[in-house]
């Protein structure tokens, strides 16, 4: 993944870069928003990590709003900030931020998981967009084939050749081929003859110099085509058919697809699409649509053979209509009666030809849709070509969703409507399921963001379980949290039963949510723990994933089926699990989203626990520092300025807190000692702990001798030293007097 860091603190940016490059991401860094704009013009990243406020006083919100107002692309981004601000977080999330993180001491630990999660979200959304694009492309390809198919209906034989050439061109342009051919097999002469050729601009036609191809130079193409199989060479460099490779490599072809044209079980030729500029990948659905086009060519081929017989026999429809793989019919515009149907319509709807011709189009519509039918008829009558949507009723009463493409035709000198039917039931269901999944994922992300950013120290277990209950479709959802490194656990919440606390107290004799259980509920299940494990029924987890009294209560009251246990982890640390109980015959929904949510819950709980621990640690440190009877202070290693002092230092030295915080450690030293102090600071900058003696000046001007104990610390993300000072002036005087008396005694 390409990641752009926008950060004016070079140290933090370098930490980000090292961490991300270890995760195999490609990282660029800029320290101003103007540099970011220039970088985005050159290389668009997959993700940005944006510092909210730079030292230039620019902020990310204004920059993003400017880009939005200028209609400039804004990549996915994460906002980082030195201090959390709920208002800013909300505004940045509105602008599309994937996450809002505080640059605290735990950020570098959490960063890999944040990047993995955001990367997974971006990747999932990209896959959804690509799926939508693929569906839309397939739809346009289908519509193109329908239009081509419709254009051949009632087309004079004299115009068929130009229509075939036009259709070859349209399909080739649609699939971005460079050259394409319709080739007929002559098995008597053992050659393949080029019938039609299309070349994109800049490519030289081959039909004049290569009118026919000997079959003995075509490798296994003939045998594969005779079996109705598509020949698809994705990369000519890797192709194992030497004769074919040598014969087409000279034209610069990189990849080629050749679709057999089958007349019943006989192969009469093939249609090929050549890619010369670059290799072309065709999906399975595209290959199937190519087959439809090949079948149209078969129908045209048959029409050429039978057109004279059709004219002499007075047939009222063409072979192309009757044998089209898409359901088709013609109906009278006044009476709405069916005038003709093709075999595909008979097979798809289940009515015989006779039954169709005894009915009208109202008979295949649900009664409640008749008003919609008349609106569709009005659209069809006013437009020579129209596309409308409807619900149709098959003979077996099944309702299907259809797309109808209509054109005007003359039938026995009367105006009629020719309709081609495309059954889109499965496609619509797939789109609805996809949209449902998107809605669930979006709700999960929104709700997760809400409780993560709530700012509350308490974890809302009920909200967490309710959301899992809704996502998974379970009858009941419980959340177990492991305590004491997994030696015991508590059921923190259970969704699906109203007023669970009161009910559990009345029925079980105790509040289940306050009860600790003395083992890991998964150890006795007989299987290894997985991210998600499915048990066939609730009895398999009795006294395991849930206490036996709860199991008995649920089993006797509800008709339950399978049980799903979803582990909640943060990296390798097991936090707990969700226990999901389903009605018989019902299975879990949205598995991927369930696992994603469980992962987020694990990260959220660890984050809350870490924050609480840090707050307690800071509180204890402050207590020990502020109330210590020994003078203490913290100073900045770079500027030597006082950053914090305790009450004992204020009382001992006589300076107020405000005066101390406006001074540096040099201000309490005699002028003649300052050079040595500076040398000592530089020399011991990397020393973790140090003890030394120095002269200090109080506010009164009194000079004292202090014994200094210092240690390296980080204060508000800056390198600093914590100092404890002990006044040893009196002790030194006593030692001096004692030494003097000892000398006098010895001299005597």
């Amino acid at each position: 993944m390409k990641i752009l860091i926008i950060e004016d603190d070079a140290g933090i940016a370098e930490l980000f870069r090292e961490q991300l490059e270890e995760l195999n991401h490609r990282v660029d860094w800029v320290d101003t928003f103007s540099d970011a704009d220039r970088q985005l013009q050159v290389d668009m990243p997959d993700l940005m990590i944006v510092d909210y406020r730079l030292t230039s006083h620019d902020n990310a919100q204004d920059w993003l709003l400017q880009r939005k107002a200028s209609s400039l692309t804004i990549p996915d981004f994460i906002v980082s900030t030195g201090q959390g601000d709920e208002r800013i977080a909300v505004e940045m999330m509105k602008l599309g931020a994937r996450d809002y993180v505080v640059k605290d001491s735990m950020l570098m630990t959490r960063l890999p998981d944040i990047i993995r999660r955001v990367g997974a979200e971006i990747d999932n959304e990209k896959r959804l967009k690509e799926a939508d694009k693929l569906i839309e492309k397939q739809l346009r390809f289908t519509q193109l084939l329908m239009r081509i198919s419709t254009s051949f209906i009632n087309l004079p034989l004299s115009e068929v050749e130009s229509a075939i050439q036009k259709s070859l061109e349209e399909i080739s342009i649609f699939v971005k081929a460079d050259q394409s051919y319709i080739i007929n097999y002559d098995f008597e002469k053992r050659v393949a003859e080029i019938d039609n050729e299309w070349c994109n601009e800049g490519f030289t036609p081959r039909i004049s110099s290569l009118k026919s191809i000997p079959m003995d130079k075509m490798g296994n193409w003939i045998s594969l085509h005779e079996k109705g199989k598509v020949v698809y060479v994705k990369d000519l460099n890797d192709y194992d058919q030497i004769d074919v490779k040598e014969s087409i490599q000279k034209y610069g072809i990189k990849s080629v697809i050749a679709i057999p044209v089958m007349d019943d079980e006989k192969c009469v030729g093939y249609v090929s699409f050549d890619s010369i500029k670059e290799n072309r990948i065709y999906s399975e659905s595209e290959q199937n649509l190519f087959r439809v086009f090949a079948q149209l060519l078969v129908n045209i081929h048959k029409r050429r053979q039978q057109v004279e017989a059709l004219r002499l026999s007075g047939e009222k429809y063409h072979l192309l209509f009757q044998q089209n793989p898409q359901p088709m019919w013609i109906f009278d515009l006044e009476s709405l009666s069916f005038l003709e149907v093709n075999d595909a319509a008979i097979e798809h709807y289940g009515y015989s030809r006779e039954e169709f011709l005894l009915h009208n189009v109202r008979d295949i519509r649900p009664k409640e849709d008749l008003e919609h039918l008349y609106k569709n008829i009005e659209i069809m009558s006013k437009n020579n070509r129209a596309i409308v949507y409807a619900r149709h009723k098959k003979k077996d009463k099944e309702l299907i969703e259809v797309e109808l493409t209509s054109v005007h035709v003359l039938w026995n000198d009367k105006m009629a409507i020719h309709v081609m039917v495309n059954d889109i039931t499965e496609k619509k269901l797939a789109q609805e399921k996809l949209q449902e999944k998107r809605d669930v994922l979006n709700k999960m992300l929104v709700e997760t963001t809400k409780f993560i950013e709530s700012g509350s120290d308490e974890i809302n277990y009920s909200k967490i379980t309710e959301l899992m209950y809704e996502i998974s479709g379970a009858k009941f959802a419980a959340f177990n949290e492991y305590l004491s490194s997994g030696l015991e656990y508590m059921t923190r919440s259970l969704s699906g039963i109203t007023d669970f606390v009161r009910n559990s107290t009345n029925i079980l004799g105790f509040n289940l949510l306050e009860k600790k259980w003395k083992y890991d509920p998964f150890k006795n299940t007989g299987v290894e723990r997985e991210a998600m494990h499915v048990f066939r029924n609730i009895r398999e987890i009795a006294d395991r994933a849930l206490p036996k009294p709860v199991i008995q209560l649920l089993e006797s009251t509800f008709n339950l089926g399978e049980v799903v246990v979803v582990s909640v982890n943060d990296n390798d640390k097991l936090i707990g699990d969700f226990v999901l109980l389903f009605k018989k015959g019902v299975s879990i929904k949205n598995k991927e989203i369930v696992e994603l949510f469980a992962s987020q819950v694990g990260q959220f709980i660890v984050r809350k626990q870490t924050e609480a621990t840090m707050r307690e640690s800071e509180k204890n440190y402050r207590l020990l520092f502020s109330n210590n009877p020994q003078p203490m202070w913290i100073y900045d290693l770079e500027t030597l300025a006082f950053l914090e002092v305790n009450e004992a230092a204020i009382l001992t030295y006589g300076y107020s807190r405000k005066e101390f915080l406006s001074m540096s450690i040099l201000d309490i030293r005699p002028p003649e000692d300052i050079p040595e102090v500076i040398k000592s600071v530089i020399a011991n900058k990397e020393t973790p702990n140090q003890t030394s003696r120095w002269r200090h000046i109080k506010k009164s001007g009194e000079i004292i001798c202090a014994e200094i104990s210092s240690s390296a610390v980080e204060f508000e993300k800056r390198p600093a030293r914590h100092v404890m000072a002990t006044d040893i002036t009196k002790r030194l005087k006593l030692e001096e007097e004692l030494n003097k008396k000892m000398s006098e005694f010895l001299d005597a």
Side-chain angles (χ1 to χ4, degrees):
M1 188 161 62
K2 292 185 294 183
I3 300 177
L4 174 63
I5 300 171
I6 305 175
E7 171 64 63
D8 59 355
D9 189 316
I12 292 175
E14 189 58 29
L15 286 174
F16 281 167
R17 182 199 294 274
E18 290 178 0
Q19 183 75 273
L20 295 173
E21 287 181 345
E22 285 181 5
L23 297 173
N24 296 321
H25 297 296
R26 200 190 89 190
V27 183
D28 292 312
W29 167 53
V30 296
D31 58 0
T32 67
F33 290 122
S34 56
D35 285 347
D37 286 329
R38 285 189 285 273
Q39 180 68 20
L40 293 178
Q41 286 181 333
V42 176
D43 189 12
M44 190 63 63
D46 300 302
L47 180 67
M48 301 188 299
I49 301 177
V50 185
D51 187 7
Y52 179 75
R53 188 175 299 281
L54 304 181
T55 53
S56 61
H57 304 297
D58 292 338
N59 68 67
Q61 185 175 357
D62 292 340
W63 177 61
L64 293 169
L65 288 171
Q66 288 172 6
R67 286 190 68 84
K68 188 174 182 180
S70 302
S71 300
L72 296 173
T73 301
I74 300 176
D76 290 294
F77 64 95
I78 297 170
V79 178
S80 65
T81 180
Q83 295 182 343
D85 186 316
E86 185 175 344
R87 179 187 60 80
I88 291 174
V90 171
E91 292 301 320
M92 296 307 292
M93 296 306 270
K94 286 180 181 178
L95 285 173
R98 291 285 181 172
D99 206 342
Y100 179 86
V101 296
V102 178
K103 291 186 281 188
D104 55 19
S105 60
M106 294 299 295
L107 176 58
M108 297 312 298
T109 303
R110 298 196 310 268
L111 185 62
D113 289 333
I114 293 171
I115 295 299
R116 275 193 286 271
R117 173 177 58 76
V118 172
E121 292 172 3
I122 294 171
D123 189 52
N124 287 337
E125 291 172 5
K126 283 182 179 178
R127 284 201 294 269
L128 288 173
K129 288 179 182 178
E130 289 170 359
D132 285 343
K133 287 181 181 178
L134 180 60
I135 291 172
E136 193 270 339
K137 182 179 180 182
Q138 292 172 359
L139 177 61
R140 288 191 291 112
F141 199 170
T142 303
Q143 290 174 341
L144 173 61
L145 289 172
M146 289 172 61
R147 181 170 60 78
I148 291 171
S149 175
T150 304
S151 70
F152 283 108
I153 298 174
N154 295 329
L155 188 69
L157 192 61
S158 59
E159 298 177 16
V160 167
E161 186 60 31
S162 61
I164 291 173
Q165 184 65 30
K166 180 65 176 176
S167 66
L168 183 63
E169 177 183 354
E170 288 180 329
I171 292 177
S172 300
I173 292 173
F174 183 88
V175 301
K176 298 181 180 179
D178 299 314
Q179 290 181 303
S180 55
Y181 299 87
I182 299 175
I183 297 175
N184 297 324
Y185 281 140
D186 188 334
F187 287 95
E188 290 184 2
K189 297 180 180 179
R190 299 296 297 169
V191 294
E193 297 182 336
I194 299 177
D195 198 16
N196 295 81
E197 178 188 51
W198 174 83
C199 296
N200 206 344
E201 292 184 9
F203 294 93
T204 304
R206 297 181 225 144
I207 192 169
S208 58
S209 60
L210 190 67
K211 183 63 179 175
S212 62
I213 307 166
M215 287 187 176
D216 59 3
K217 295 292 185 182
M218 295 182 68
N220 63 358
W221 284 36
I222 309 298
S223 60
L224 291 173
H225 281 164
E226 286 183 315
K227 295 175 184 177
K229 294 183 178 181
V230 173
V231 175
Y232 182 18
V233 183
K234 295 181 181 179
D235 190 337
L236 191 63
N237 292 326
D238 301 329
Y239 198 42
D240 60 358
Q241 299 294 302
I242 303 302
D243 288 341
V244 178
K245 183 175 181 178
E246 290 178 352
S247 62
I248 64 177
Q249 202 167 31
K250 59 185 177 183
Y251 299 111
I253 295 172
K254 289 184 172 63
S255 61
V256 60
I257 186 168
I259 304 93
V261 178
M262 305 297 293
D263 184 358
D264 292 329
E265 295 183 359
K266 180 182 178 183
C267 181
V268 297
Y270 66 93
V271 186
S272 73
F273 297 88
D274 300 350
S275 299
I276 299 173
K277 289 182 179 178
E278 58 185 8
N279 293 77
R280 178 71 168 83
I281 304 298
Y282 295 104
S283 66
E284 188 69 28
S285 58
E286 286 178 311
Q287 294 183 42
N288 290 334
L289 290 171
F290 280 141
R291 289 180 181 275
V292 174
F293 177 61
Q295 187 60 41
L296 289 177
L297 296 178
V298 171
N299 294 338
I300 295 168
H301 174 73
K302 288 187 175 181
R303 182 184 171 199
R304 281 171 163 171
Q305 295 177 335
Q306 299 178 15
V307 66
E308 186 63 19
L310 289 173
R311 184 182 65 79
L312 295 174
S313 65
E315 288 286 340
K316 297 177 181 178
Y317 56 91
H318 296 287
L319 195 58
L320 182 61
F321 169 86
Q322 188 56 37
Q323 294 190 358
N324 197 290
Q326 293 290 116
M328 291 183 176
W329 56 66
I330 297 171
F331 70 90
D332 183 84
L333 191 55
E334 292 182 3
S335 66
L336 305 185
S337 297
F338 289 106
L339 301 174
E340 188 56 280
V341 294
N342 71 352
D343 292 341
I346 293 168
E347 181 180 354
H348 197 70
Y349 282 79
Y351 298 101
S352 66
R353 187 180 305 278
E354 292 73 19
E355 288 173 325
F356 256 120
L357 299 180
L358 287 173
H359 291 85
N360 61 57
V361 293
R362 285 187 292 265
D363 298 324
I364 63 168
R365 297 293 295 268
K367 291 182 180 179
E368 61 270 22
D369 289 3
L370 289 181
E371 184 177 347
H372 185 236
L373 166 66
Y374 297 135
K375 289 181 180 178
N376 282 352
I377 297 296
E378 184 179 0
I379 294 171
M380 291 177 175
S381 64
K382 289 182 177 180
N383 299 277
N384 183 51
R385 172 181 167 80
I387 297 177
V388 296
Y389 297 87
R391 291 195 306 165
H392 281 178
K393 182 173 58 177
K394 292 185 178 183
K395 186 175 181 179
D396 61 5
K397 309 300 182 185
E398 178 190 353
L399 286 179
I400 60 173
E401 299 276 351
V402 294
E403 179 188 68
L404 307 174
T405 303
S406 69
V407 292
H408 293 179
V409 294
L410 281 175
W411 189 268
N412 292 336
D413 298 325
K414 289 185 67 177
M415 177 63 73
I417 301 291
H418 170 259
V419 173
M420 176 181 285
V421 181
N422 181 23
D423 188 339
I424 60 172
T425 307
E426 290 186 5
K427 176 185 171 184
K428 190 167 183 181
L429 286 173
Q431 289 175 334
E432 289 174 354
K433 287 181 180 178
L434 184 62
Q435 186 59 47
E436 180 183 351
K437 228 175 211 356
R438 285 178 182 159
D439 293 342
V440 171
L441 179 60
N442 184 60
K443 181 171 182 179
M444 186 272 288
L445 294 174
V446 170
E447 293 298 326
T448 303
T449 301
K450 283 182 182 177
F451 68 69
I452 286 176
E453 296 180 349
S454 64
S456 172
D457 291 340
E458 297 295 326
I459 298 173
N460 191 339
Y461 292 102
S462 295
K463 183 67 176 177
I464 290 171
T465 312
E466 284 292 335
L467 195 51
M468 177 60 84
Y469 171 75
E470 185 175 347
I471 292 169
S472 64
K475 176 68 177 175
F476 303 103
F479 176 66
N480 298 324
E481 184 176 16
Y482 298 161
L483 311 171
S484 305
S485 301
L487 297 178
E488 57 184 9
Y489 78 95
M490 290 180 69
T491 301
R492 292 293 193 180
S493 58
L494 192 146
S495 296
I497 298 179
T498 307
D499 199 357
F500 176 71
V501 172
R502 181 175 61 82
N503 287 330
S504 69
T505 302
N506 291 340
I507 297 170
L508 301 174
F510 57 87
N511 178 2
L512 182 64
L513 302 189
E514 295 178 351
K515 178 75 171 175
K516 288 186 179 179
W517 304 89
K518 294 294 183 180
Y519 54 85
D520 175 351
F522 213 91
K523 284 184 177 177
N524 298 326
T525 57
V527 294
E528 292 185 8
R529 179 177 288 280
E530 300 173 297
M532 179 182 295
H533 192 88
V534 180
F535 297 93
R536 291 172 299 175
N537 57 66
I538 196 169
R539 293 179 184 174
E540 292 187 18
I541 63 164
D543 258 348
R544 293 171 178 176
L546 281 178
K548 193 170 184 178
V550 178
I551 297 295
Q552 291 173 339
L553 172 63
L554 294 173
E555 187 178 25
S556 63
T557 309
F558 303 100
N559 186 28
L560 297 176
E562 67 180 32
V563 179
V564 178
V565 178
V566 185
S567 296
V568 177
N569 302 288
D570 180 63
N571 293 327
D572 295 329
K573 181 182 178 183
L574 186 62
I575 309 300
D577 56 42
F578 285 99
V579 181
L580 309 175
L581 295 88
F582 294 85
K583 284 184 177 180
K584 282 187 178 177
V586 177
S587 295
I588 188 170
K589 298 191 303 184
N590 306 311
K591 286 186 177 180
E592 302 88 348
I593 300 176
V594 164
E595 289 186 345
L596 174 61
F597 179 60
S599 173
Q600 287 192 317
V601 167
Q603 294 174 33
F604 168 62
I605 291 175
V606 169
R607 173 180 161 184
K608 284 294 183 184
Q609 292 171 344
T610 302
E611 289 173 352
T613 302
M614 289 176 63
R615 282 194 297 272
E616 185 64 25
S617 175
E618 183 178 353
K619 179 181 175 183
N620 293 336
Y621 176 77
R622 288 284 181 183
L623 187 62
L624 290 172
F625 178 86
S626 299
N627 297 338
N628 200 293
Q630 287 293 109
M632 290 184 177
W633 56 75
I634 297 173
Y635 71 88
D636 190 303
L637 261 181
E638 300 297 330
T639 65
L640 307 185
F642 287 105
L643 300 175
E644 186 60 277
V645 294
N646 71 353
E647 288 298 322
I650 293 169
L651 292 173
T652 300
Y653 286 80
Y655 297 103
S656 68
R657 182 180 301 279
K658 184 176 181 180
E659 287 173 326
F660 255 121
L661 298 182
S662 66
M663 298 160 57
S664 77
I665 63 172
L666 301 179
D667 294 323
I668 64 168
R669 308 298 177 99
E672 59 272 19
D673 291 358
I674 289 176
E676 287 301 319
V677 172
I678 295 174
K679 287 181 183 178
S680 176
V681 169
I682 295 172
N684 296 287
K685 198 171 186 179
E686 303 297 329
T687 305
N689 299 290
Q690 181 192 13
T691 302
S692 57
R693 291 181 179 181
W694 294 96
R695 293 193 301 164
H696 285 177
I697 303 175
K698 295 184 178 181
K699 186 177 181 180
S700 64
E702 178 188 353
I703 296 179
I704 64 172
C705 185
E707 187 173 71
I708 301 299
S709 296
S710 70
S711 57
V713 294
E714 184 179 279
F715 188 86
E716 295 181 348
K717 300 188 177 179
R718 292 185 60 79
R721 289 196 80 85
H722 172 264
V723 174
M724 182 174 72
T726 303
D727 186 348
I728 60 172
T729 307
K730 291 181 179 180
R731 192 179 83 192
L732 291 177
K733 285 182 178 179
L734 289 173
E735 288 177 358
E736 184 180 347
E737 290 177 2
L738 181 60
N739 289 334
K740 183 178 179 182
K741 288 181 179 181
M742 287 294 293
S743 296
E744 291 175 352
F745 175 77
L746 292 172
D747 290 340

